[in-house]
Amino acid sequence: MTGRLNSAQPYAIGLFRIVVGLLFACHGANSLFGAFGGETPDTGVWPAWYAAVIELVGGSLVLLGLGTRAAAFISSGAMAYAYFKVHQPQALWPIENSGEGAAMYCWAMFLLIFTGSGAFGLDRLFTKRSAAQSSPATDQTPVAA
């Protein structure tokens, strides 16, 4: 059972990344363009407009699996800032201050910093292409753990 779950791990991480990136990008589109009934901040207003740009761009990059670790790092930091500067001063616990979304996005993006894009990401596609072009094909036997 563990072997099957371990072999499916890159695919589960890839699906997790896609869902989190899509939801994060939708949140940014909602804030930035008023999509899905959101209210838009004025251009350049700190921090709302910048957070919306980070959400849209970071979420799109995470969704595509392109520069996943860097995009997730910036997105996680933006959500930590949102939680501690916007939500936490209202009350201590996320359930009391409506900060569950910011906390969940912060930790989900933080996880992606360490796991990478998983399967289905453009990072993996570009890594395979550059590795194939830089080194000639050699016979490599996998090492079992």
Side-chain angles (χ1 to χ4, degrees):
M1 177 84 168
T2 302
R4 278 193 188 175
L5 290 174
N6 287 343
S7 67
Q9 186 175 1
Y11 303 103
I13 291 170
L15 291 173
F16 175 79
R17 173 189 49 78
I18 290 167
V19 170
V20 169
L22 177 64
L23 294 174
F24 202 60
C26 286
H27 195 269
N30 179 315
S31 299
L32 198 59
F33 303 122
F36 316 111
E39 295 182 23
T40 61
D42 292 332
T43 303
V45 172
W46 179 260
W49 186 82
Y50 292 95
V53 169
I54 290 171
E55 290 166 3
L56 181 62
V57 173
S60 298
L61 289 172
V62 167
L63 169 66
L64 295 171
L66 185 61
T68 303
R69 292 175 193 254
F73 179 78
I74 293 168
S75 298
S76 178
M79 290 297 99
Y81 179 89
Y83 181 77
F84 286 109
K85 286 294 190 177
V86 176
H87 297 284
Q88 200 274 330
Q90 296 173 13
L92 178 62
W93 298 104
I95 196 72
E96 296 174 323
N97 62 29
S98 301
E100 300 100 332
M104 287 296 293
Y105 280 127
C106 177
W107 285 105
M109 292 295 184
F110 190 74
L111 177 66
L112 289 171
I113 295 168
F114 295 96
T115 62
S117 62
F120 316 120
L122 293 179
D123 285 343
R124 200 171 247 209
L125 178 68
F126 292 138
T127 302
K128 285 181 183 178
R129 282 189 182 173
S130 65
Q133 291 174 354
S134 65
S135 66
T138 60
D139 183 26
Q140 296 179 0
T141 48
V143 177

